[in-house]
Amino acid sequence: MRLHPLTSLAFAGSTAVITTAAASWPVSLAVGAGALGLSAAGGTARRLVPAAAAVLVPLGLSLLIVHGLSFPEGRTVLAQFGPARVTAEGLAFAGERAAQLSAAVLALLVFSFSVNVPDLVAALASRGVHGRFGFVLASTLTLLPAITAQAGRIRQAQESRGLVIRRGLLHKVAAFRLQAIPLVLSLVEDAGTRAAALEARGFSSPGPRTSYREVPDSAIQRLLRMLLLAAAAAAVVWRLWLAGTGG
Amino acid sequence: MPYSAEPVMAAGIREFTFHDGGGPVLQGLDVAVAPGSLMAVLGTSGSGKTTLGRLLAGWLPPGPGGNLIGFLELTGTRLQFNGDAGDPRIDPAQWGRQVGFVPQDAGAVLSTVRATVAEELAFGLENSAVGRTAMVAAVEQTAGLLGLRNLLGRHPARLSGGQLRRLAIGCAIITRPPVLIMDEPFASLDAAGARELGDLVRGLVKAGTAVVILSQMVDGVLREADNWIVLADGTVKASGTPAALEAGSPAVLAGIRRIKDGPSPGGVAPVPRSAGHSAPALELRGVSFGYRKDGRPARQGFTWQRRQGSRTTDNQSTVLQGIDLAVHPGEIVAVTGPNGAGKSTLLRHFNGLLRPTTGTVLVQGEDISGKPVGSTAAAVGLLFQHPREQLFERTALREVRFGLDRLFGQDEAGERASAALAAVGLSAAAHEQPAELPASRQRLLALATVLARKPAVLALDEPTVALDGDGLAVLDAAVRSAAAEGAAVVLVTHDLGYARSAAHRTIALDAGRLAEA
C-alpha cells in the first residue's frame, strides 16, 4: 500500500511526540534504530545520516556539556575539574535526553527524505492550505538542488575559462568564493522572471484552487491518521499527568 | 486572413521608460491585433521587441515595471496611462487569462514545483479552480497540439531545449487566451521543430487566436503573417504586409536575418585548407558516452557496468557511440543533427567537462584524461549553447578578462580583453552588466570571452541562435579569422545553411554516431 503523505507525516510526528513523552532509553533506542532501518530500506540513508549528524552532533555535545558536567542531583562523581563535576547520573541524564532527541529527529528526517513532495503539496492544497504555503514548502525542498545545479553550471563556465579546481575541500571552498556572487546575481534575476510568470499564471489569485495530481487515500489511512494523532495526544496527557502527580 | 473584427488588443505607446533614469525604451508606437490574425514584430537585437512583448503581455506592468504614457487596450477595455500615481494598475493574473506569453527563455515560465509535464501544463488551470475532468481533457488536448503526449509523465527539468519551448507554449495556450505573444520562438528549434511550430501557429490563428511573434529572423510562417512591424530604437521603422516590405527598400529590413537569402553573410564556403599535413589539434578516438538512469554521467572507473565488462545496459542511456574525429589546425568542421542528438554532449568532451565512458580525447596530441578542465581550457575555448550559463561577471570587460591575468599577465590581459570586445563590436558596452544585455549581445560577449584566449581549438555550441544579421556577420568573421590564424574550429549547429556556408566539412551526428554529410 502506498502511504498518503499525510499518513507518513502523522506516523513521523506521533512517533516523535510519543518517544519524547515516554522518555525511556529502550524506547528511544528502538525508535532511532527503526528509523535508520527504514531509511536504509528506502535507500535514503546516504543523505539522511549526514543531515542527522549535522543536527544531532552539536546538540548532543551541548547536552553533554550542560548536563554531564554540572548535574546538581549527581552523587557518583567520576571526575572533577574545579567546579565542574562529571557524575554518572549527569551522564546518564544527558545520554537519555540525547537518545530521545535523536529518535525524534531521525523519525522526522526519515519522513522528510522519503516524502514525495508533489504529493504532499497536492494533499495540502486539497485540504484548503493556500497555494502560496504549498509553494514555499515545495521550494524549500527543491531550492537546494536548484542552487547546487546553478552553482555547478557557473563552475563549469569558469573551468572552461581556465579556473583549475584541485582536489580537496579547501580548494573547493576557495573556488566557491568565485561562484558566490554570480550565483546570487543569477538567482535574483531568475526569481524576477519567474515571479512575473507565476503571477501571469494566476498563482496569486485569491479563491479556490483545484489539483491535477491525485493522491490516493483510503478510509483505513484516514482512520490510521486519527488513531496516531489520538495516541500522540494521549501520550502528552499521560506525561503531563505524571508530572502533575510528581512521578 | 484577419476577421474584419475590432482589435482584440491594441496599444498606443507615446513613451515608455524604465525607472533607471535612462531615456525612453519605446516611443511613438501603435499596435492593433485582430482576432484570428498573425503579426510579426521584427527588429534587431536591442530594438525594443522584448520590452514591447512583455508590456503587452502584462509581464512588465506600467507603474512597477516602468513609466508608460499612452494606452493599452484589451478585449474592448482601454486603460489610459499618464505616468503618474493616478494610473490604473494591471492585475497580471487577469491580464494573463487574456494574453498568453512565451518568453525567450522558455524555462523561466516553469513553476519549478511541479513534478511532471502534465502537472506543469495544468498549473494555470489549477489556479483558476478548473475541475479535474476538464483539466485532464485540456492537458490531453494541449499535449496533442504540441507533440508532448509521450512526455506527459516526464520531469520538466529533464526536457531538451526544444521540448521545453513546446511546454512553455503549452502553458501559455492551455487557458485558451485570445492573444498569444511569443518572443523568439524559433531560436533553438531545429528545422522539424520550426515546421511544427509553424503548423501550430496556423492552427491557432485559424481557430481565432491573435498571434504576435517577436523575432529578429524571418522564417517560414512569418512570411504568411497578416502584417509586419519593423522596430528600430524602440519605435516603428516600417509596417505593412510582408510582400510590401520585402519588395520595398532593403534598408528597412537591414540587420534582420532572412532564411531564404541564405543565412551566412559570407555566402560561399571557404576553401578547404590542406589540413592533412599537420597533426590534428583535436582528436577523438572511439569515444562513447552515456548517462546513467539517475541522470549522472556514467564515468570511467565509476560504473559497475564497466567493471562487469558489459556494454551499456538498461541502467544507462547511450548518447555517443564510438566517435572518431580529427580536426586539424585551420580547419572548420560543422556538426549538425536534430535537437537532442547529443551535439552539446559531444562538445563538452573537448575540454573534459564530460569524460568519455570509453575512448580517448587528445588535444594537441595530448590525452586530456586526468587533466583538470581548467588546464585544458588554455587550449580549448568552449562557447556554451546558453550564453547565460557562461556569463557570470559584473561587467562585460571583467567577463572577458576572467582567467586571462593568470595566462598572460596584467598588461596583456587588458589588451586582449579590449581587443576581443572590439572584435565583436561591444567596446561601447564594456562596463555594462552582462545579464542586462540583449540576447544577441550576450552571445557575442560569450564569444569574446572565448576569442580573447586565442585557443588552439574553438568549440562553438549553436553559435547562430539568437543572433541578428549584424551579430551573425560578426560571428562569421570571427570564426574565419580564428581559422585563418590556425585554430581548429568545431561548430555544432542545427542551422544547415550556416553549416554549409561556414565549414570546410559538415558531419552529421545522429543516434550517437558521426557520419560525413
Side-chain angles (χ1 to χ4, degrees), chain B residues 280 282-288 322-326 356 358-362 365 367:
Chain B
L282 172 77
E283 196 177 355
L284 273 70
R285 289 185 192 156
V287 166
S288 295
I323 303 273
D324 289 308
L325 174 69
T358 56
T360 339
V361 178
L362 297 105
D367 184 351

Side-chain angles (χ1 to χ4, degrees), chain B residues 48-396:
Chain B
K49 295 187 307 291
T50 298
T51 307
L52 175 64
R54 294 166 76 95
L55 189 60
L56 293 177
W59 279 42
L60 195 63
N67 226 3
L68 173 67
I69 301 176
F71 71 87
L72 295 178
E73 190 181 303
L74 188 59
T75 54
T77 309
R78 179 176 288 208
L79 301 174
Q80 185 68 44
F81 298 88
N82 303 314
D84 54 38
D87 279 351
R89 282 292 164 103
I90 282 181
D91 174 0
Q94 295 272 5
W95 201 268
R97 257 174 236 153
Q98 308 291 330
V99 187
F101 183 58
V102 184
Q104 200 166 347
D105 174 10
V109 302
L110 303 186
S111 68
T112 67
V113 290
R114 290 294 183 260
T116 63
V117 166
E119 288 169 41
E120 189 62 57
L121 281 171
F123 184 75
L125 300 175
E126 290 176 331
N127 289 331
S128 36
V130 174
R132 190 161 190 285
T133 322
M135 242 183 324
V136 172
V139 166
E140 268 296 310
Q141 201 220 352
T142 310
L145 272 179
L146 290 153
L148 289 170
R149 278 231 169 93
N150 297 330
L151 300 171
L152 283 176
R154 183 165 309 177
H155 196 286
R158 303 243 157 92
L159 297 180
S160 79
Q163 292 163 344
L164 197 61
R165 185 162 301 276
R166 282 187 275 154
L167 173 58
I169 297 172
C171 292
I173 63 172
I174 195 164
T175 51
R176 298 173 171 261
V179 183
L180 173 66
I181 303 176
M182 296 193 275
D183 194 357
E184 298 289 357
F186 294 101
S188 81
L189 285 186
D190 56 18
R195 239 184 350 263
E196 282 164 20
L197 180 55
D199 290 341
L200 174 76
V201 168
R202 284 183 200 102
L204 288 172
V205 168
K206 206 168 164 195
T209 308
V211 180
V212 179
I213 293 178
L214 316 166
S215 179
Q216 54 193 2
M217 190 168 81
V218 175
D219 190 9
V221 73
L222 295 189
R223 291 182 197 280
E224 301 161 25
D226 296 288
N227 63 324
W228 285 359
I229 290 185
V230 183
L231 283 192
D233 299 323
T235 191
V236 179
K237 192 172 166 192
S239 67
T241 62
L245 288 178
E246 288 209 283
S249 156
V252 167
L253 293 174
I256 294 164
R257 287 172 65 192
R258 278 178 287 176
I259 294 303
K260 198 170 67 178
D261 308 341
S264 164
V268 190
V271 182
R273 298 170 63 91
S274 50
H277 300 305
S278 52
L282 172 77
E283 196 177 355
L284 273 70
R285 289 185 192 156
V287 166
S288 295
F289 177 79
Y291 285 100
R292 292 192 323 219
K293 256 202 174 154
D294 58 8
R296 288 163 184 243
R299 273 201 281 175
Q300 228 162 8
F302 280 84
T303 51
W304 54 272
Q305 287 99 338
R306 262 181 68 77
R307 264 179 265 144
Q308 290 184 336
S310 68
R311 289 184 303 116
T312 50
T313 67
D314 285 348
N315 269 344
Q316 197 176 310
S317 65
T318 311
V319 185
L320 304 175
Q321 285 188 61
I323 303 273
D324 289 308
L325 174 69
V327 189
H328 296 267
E331 192 181 19
I332 306 175
V333 175
V335 179
T336 65
N339 284 140
K343 305 190 294 289
S344 304
T345 305
L346 175 68
L347 278 198
R348 281 169 185 255
H349 278 80
F350 295 180
N351 67 358
L353 278 179
L354 289 174
R355 306 283 182 181
T357 317
T358 56
T360 339
V361 178
L362 297 105
V363 172
Q364 295 180 306
E366 200 183 324
D367 184 351
I368 65 162
S369 63
K371 258 181 101 176
V373 178
S375 310
T376 311
V380 180
L382 177 61
L383 179 72
F384 284 43
Q385 185 176 3
H386 302 288
R388 280 300 287 119
E389 289 179 6
Q390 190 155 14
L391 305 176
F392 48 81
E393 273 288 2
R394 276 161 282 178
T395 70

